[in-house]
Amino acid sequence: MAGDHSIHSINRRQFLAYSAAGAAGLLLPTQAAVAGVTDIADVLRLMRLHPVRFIAGLVFDVAKAVLVDFAGDAIVAALRNGQRPANVALGSTSGTESAAEFRHTPYKASTVVLGVADYDVYKEQQLRLLLSDPQHQARFQTTLDYMKSENIRVKLAGADKSDAVGGFSPDAMFTLDYIQMEKHQEEHYRNLIAATKTTAFDHWSV
C-alpha cells in the first residue's frame, strides 16, 4: 500500500503494540520499511519467512511478533517454572531461517514475553502456546478454515510426512516445519492476508 512510510502512518493499535514491544528492547519500524503487500516482490519476501512467522503475522496482527528473535534458554526455563520475565531485550531477526534452524519453543516463548500469546506447561516441561485474545482466536480460525478449504498440507516438527490441515490447535500451527501450497503459494499468501485483514505486513522489509 503506497503512501507515507513514517511512524505517523501506523495506526493506534499498531503503535500500542510496538510500544509494548519497545519495553522489551525492540525498535519501531524505520522510515525505510517497505509499505504494504502490493506486488509480487512483496509476496516473495513473505514467502522467504519461516511459515510459523507468517502464521504469527496472520494471527497476531503485530509485525514484531513476526520478526522477533528467539528467546534465550533462561527465558524458556523461567516460563516453564511459571515465571514470566519482563523487559527482556529480545532483539529482531530477518526471519528467513531454514526448517532446521528454526527453534519452535524459543520462538513461542518470545511471543509470550511480547504479550501477544499465552501458554501453559505440559508433559516433560514443554511450552504449549495458547490464544486468549478473541481477535487472535478469530484470525486463527479464519486461517485454519482457509487452509482446510484449499486442501493445504503442513508438516509438523518431528512428523515423518505432511498432513492435510484439520482441527489443529494453535500450538500445532506454531510447531510447523513447512506449509505445502504447490504452485499457488503466492495466491494463497495474498488470500490469507486478505481473509484475516492482518496489518502485520504493511510496514516492513525482509
Side-chain angles (χ1 to χ4, degrees):
M1 300 173 192
D4 180 12
H5 299 178
S6 72
I7 188 173
H8 301 295
S9 66
I10 299 172
N11 65 37
R12 181 175 181 274
R13 185 169 171 227
Q14 286 174 306
F15 179 77
L16 291 174
Y18 284 126
S19 297
L26 302 171
L27 300 176
L28 290 162
T30 67
Q31 292 186 0
V34 176
V37 183
T38 58
D39 55 33
I40 182 62
D42 294 331
V43 180
L44 288 175
R45 277 190 287 272
L46 292 185
M47 289 164 57
R48 292 200 300 268
L49 285 172
H50 189 281
V52 168
R53 295 185 183 278
F54 179 61
I55 295 294
L58 298 176
V59 172
F60 298 133
D61 194 21
V62 177
K64 279 299 177 184
V66 178
L67 295 179
V68 68
D69 201 356
F70 301 126
D73 292 342
I75 295 174
V76 173
L79 292 176
R80 285 173 173 160
N81 291 324
Q83 303 166 334
R84 184 173 296 200
N87 301 323
V88 178
L90 293 174
S92 62
T93 177
S94 69
T96 56
E97 308 93 349
S98 68
E101 295 170 326
F102 191 81
R103 300 170 62 207
H104 295 87
T105 297
Y107 177 78
K108 288 188 285 187
S110 297
T111 66
V112 171
V113 176
L114 279 176
V116 295
D118 208 342
Y119 77 104
D120 66 7
V121 180
Y122 67 112
K123 61 182 181 180
E124 298 177 359
Q125 289 282 307
Q126 297 299 305
L127 297 184
R128 177 165 48 201
L129 183 140
L130 304 173
L131 302 179
S132 54
D133 186 314
Q135 291 185 342
H136 296 173
Q137 294 170 356
R139 284 193 291 269
F140 172 77
Q141 192 60 51
T142 297
T143 300
L144 209 62
D145 290 345
Y146 177 87
M147 289 184 163
K148 288 165 65 176
S149 71
E150 295 295 325
N151 299 313
I152 291 171
R153 300 178 67 85
V154 299
K155 180 184 175 296
L156 302 181
D160 294 329
K161 59 183 179 61
S162 66
D163 290 302
V165 173
F168 289 176
S169 68
D171 186 73
M173 292 299 286
F174 281 83
T175 315
L176 300 180
D177 274 346
Y178 64 77
I179 302 174
Q180 191 174 347
M181 294 179 171
E182 302 299 340
K183 301 176 182 178
H184 306 293
Q185 187 172 1
E186 178 196 345
E187 179 183 355
H188 288 316
Y189 270 48
R190 290 183 185 276
N191 290 345
L192 282 164
I193 290 168
T196 58
K197 299 180 173 61
T198 182
T199 61
F201 307 115
D202 284 0
H203 297 272
W204 81 317
S205 62
V206 176

